[in-house]
């Protein structure tokens, strides 16, 4: 799962007491903290775990009942089948530590394309999109901090045209590389919403972007710094800069280090799927599961998991 804005990269050598700050910066160049109301369409997927709330993915508000996110956020990572686990979305907040701000709604049903699959060997994900249907509507007309994304038209924002874009999330702020084992571990997630800006449809000779994907390079990464989506930011939005036009969903990378050349699910490739779910026209091409747990009333009184 992905996250936004690597603030610094830690490398742990064979002697764990030796820690090297590769960039040495407290915050990525070009990376910013979101202001209240700056991303009114952003939603965070959360679970109640042992008395505290845990944010694990992002999403975008389509309308009062529907949130679009990544399929791998809501499916088993071995069988790729839908999980019947409680999900509560939080919206209208940039600070997960302040439960007085924001709106919380339980997810009642989850939908993914039946063709969603993953190939771990070549690090690819196919049809990585899901839609969450809420049990109760979001108060879009009564809450100024809430808003919706605008869907692109078919054929818009395609290569070779490049555009400035922005992606946001509550994901991890550091990476730790264990040189003795070769494993890379994500650091703690950030309770504050952050965003990174960059180029959509950026050409790269090494990382190939498929037709149903949008490839994204942050301005920081183009300058040689780690910045962009990483573990925990999956499902979050990629929008055309300074607009609410949703062109992609945070999906994956072909590199162990996140914040490199990011792959996003191209929204314009899934307009039919989105329309079918929103219109309740579920057919044999769509898999779904109904969730049975009710947790939204507990969120206001439950602290954020540290």
């Amino acid at each position: 799962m992905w996250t936004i804005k690597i603030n610094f990269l830690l490398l742990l050598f064979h002697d764990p007491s030796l820690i090297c700050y590769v960039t040495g910066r407290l915050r990525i160049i070009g990376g910013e903290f979101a202001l209240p109301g700056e991303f009114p369409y952003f939603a965070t997927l959360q679970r109640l775990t042992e008395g505290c709330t845990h944010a694990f993915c992002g999403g975008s508000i389509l309308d009062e009942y529907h949130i679009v996110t990544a399929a791998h956020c809501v499916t088993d990572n071995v069988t790729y089948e839908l999980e019947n686990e409680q999900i509560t979305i939080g919206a209208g907040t940039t600070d997960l530590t302040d439960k007085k701000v924001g709106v919380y709604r339980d997810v009642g049903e989850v939908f993914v394309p039946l063709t969603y699959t993953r190939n771990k060997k070549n690090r690819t994900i196919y049809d990585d999109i899901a839609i969450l249907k809420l049990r109760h509507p979001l108060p879009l007309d009564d809450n100024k901090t809430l808003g919706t994304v605008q869907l692109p038209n078919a054929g818009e924002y395609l290569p070779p045209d490049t555009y400035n874009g922005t992606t946001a999330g509550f994901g991890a702020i550091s990476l730790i590389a264990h040189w003795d084992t070769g494993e890379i571990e994500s650091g703690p997630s950030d309770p504050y919403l952050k965003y990174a800006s960059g180029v959509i449809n950026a050409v790269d000779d090494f990382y190939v972007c498929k037709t149903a994907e949008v490839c994204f390079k942050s301005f920081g990464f183009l300058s040689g710094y780690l910045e962009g989506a990483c573990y925990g930011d999956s499902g979050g939005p990629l929008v055309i800069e300074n607009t609410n036009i949703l062109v992609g969903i945070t999906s994956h990378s072909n590199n162990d280090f996140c914040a490199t050349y990011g792959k996003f699910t191209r929204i314009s490739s899934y307009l039919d799927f989105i329309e079918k779910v929103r219109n309740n026209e579920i057919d044999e091409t769509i898999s779904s599961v109904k969730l049975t747990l009710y947790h939204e009333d507990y969120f206001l009184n439950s602290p954020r998991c540290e």
Side-chain angles (χ1 to χ4, degrees):
M1 307 239 175
W2 274 39
T3 311
I4 281 286
K5 296 237 183 329
I6 308 302
N7 279 353
F8 48 81
L9 176 63
L10 299 179
L11 298 183
L12 299 187
F13 297 87
H14 291 287
D15 180 355
S17 64
L18 297 177
I19 299 178
C20 176
Y21 290 79
V22 175
T23 69
R25 290 170 172 78
L26 294 177
R27 194 168 49 157
I28 293 300
I29 293 176
E32 299 291 345
F33 288 99
L35 298 174
E38 191 169 5
F39 295 93
Y41 48 80
F42 186 89
T44 174
L45 279 58
Q46 302 185 48
R47 290 194 174 103
L48 188 63
T49 306
E50 296 180 352
C52 60
T53 59
H54 168 66
F56 62 94
C57 273
S60 301
I61 302 174
L62 293 172
D63 55 50
E64 60 183 353
Y65 276 104
H66 296 95
I67 308 295
V68 62
T69 186
H72 76 262
C73 288
V74 295
T75 53
D76 185 276
N77 62 8
V78 176
T79 66
Y80 312 138
E81 295 180 353
L82 281 165
E83 296 178 310
N84 186 8
E85 293 189 22
Q86 171 266 343
I87 302 173
T88 300
I89 69 100
T93 182
T94 58
D95 180 0
L96 297 182
T97 67
D98 186 0
K99 293 297 178 66
K100 295 179 181 179
V101 178
V103 177
Y104 297 92
R105 293 289 186 269
D106 280 333
V107 174
E109 196 165 4
V110 182
F111 304 87
V112 300
L114 202 60
T115 51
Y116 162 70
T117 55
R118 297 176 67 179
N119 187 323
K120 292 183 179 180
K121 290 185 178 180
N122 62 12
R123 299 170 183 264
T124 56
I125 306 182
Y126 301 95
D127 301 328
D128 193 14
I129 183 173
I131 294 180
L132 315 178
K133 185 174 182 180
L134 307 179
R135 284 200 182 93
H136 305 112
L138 291 166
L140 297 180
D141 295 331
D142 302 326
N143 193 316
K144 295 181 180 180
T145 64
L146 298 179
T148 61
V149 289
Q150 176 183 339
L151 296 178
N153 296 317
E156 286 186 319
Y157 310 110
L158 297 173
D161 296 332
T162 58
Y163 302 86
N164 287 351
T166 304
T167 183
F170 284 105
I173 58 174
S174 66
L175 285 180
I176 302 172
H178 298 271
W179 284 41
D180 54 342
T181 63
E183 296 180 351
I184 296 175
E185 174 188 354
S186 64
S189 61
D190 201 309
Y192 308 108
L193 185 65
K194 294 181 179 179
Y195 66 93
S197 298
V199 179
I200 293 171
N201 297 330
V203 177
D204 190 279
D205 294 331
F206 184 75
Y207 300 109
V208 178
C209 196
K210 297 180 176 59
T211 302
E213 296 175 338
V214 181
C215 287
F216 175 78
K217 281 187 176 180
S218 72
F219 292 135
F221 178 63
L222 288 168
S223 301
Y225 300 105
L226 284 177
E227 179 185 23
C230 188
Y231 302 98
D233 287 325
S234 293
L238 175 64
V239 299
I240 298 298
E241 192 172 44
N242 297 320
T243 76
N244 66 336
I245 301 172
L246 184 69
V247 294
I249 299 169
T250 309
S251 180
H252 67 288
S253 172
N254 296 119
N255 197 306
D256 285 330
F257 290 99
C258 23
T260 52
Y261 196 59
K263 303 292 187 69
F264 293 72
T265 304
R266 184 180 294 280
I267 287 292
S268 61
S269 299
Y270 298 92
L271 296 176
D272 288 345
F273 166 72
I274 294 172
E275 183 177 8
K276 284 180 180 179
V277 174
R278 294 176 73 180
N279 293 333
N280 199 29
E281 298 172 352
I282 311 304
D283 59 22
E284 67 280 357
T285 67
I286 299 173
S287 177
S288 66
V289 63
K290 290 187 177 182
L291 307 186
T292 58
L293 297 178
Y294 296 76
H295 283 171
E296 67 184 52
D297 291 340
Y298 298 100
F299 266 69
L300 292 177
N301 299 314
S302 300
R304 170 183 172 268
C305 299
E306 297 295 336

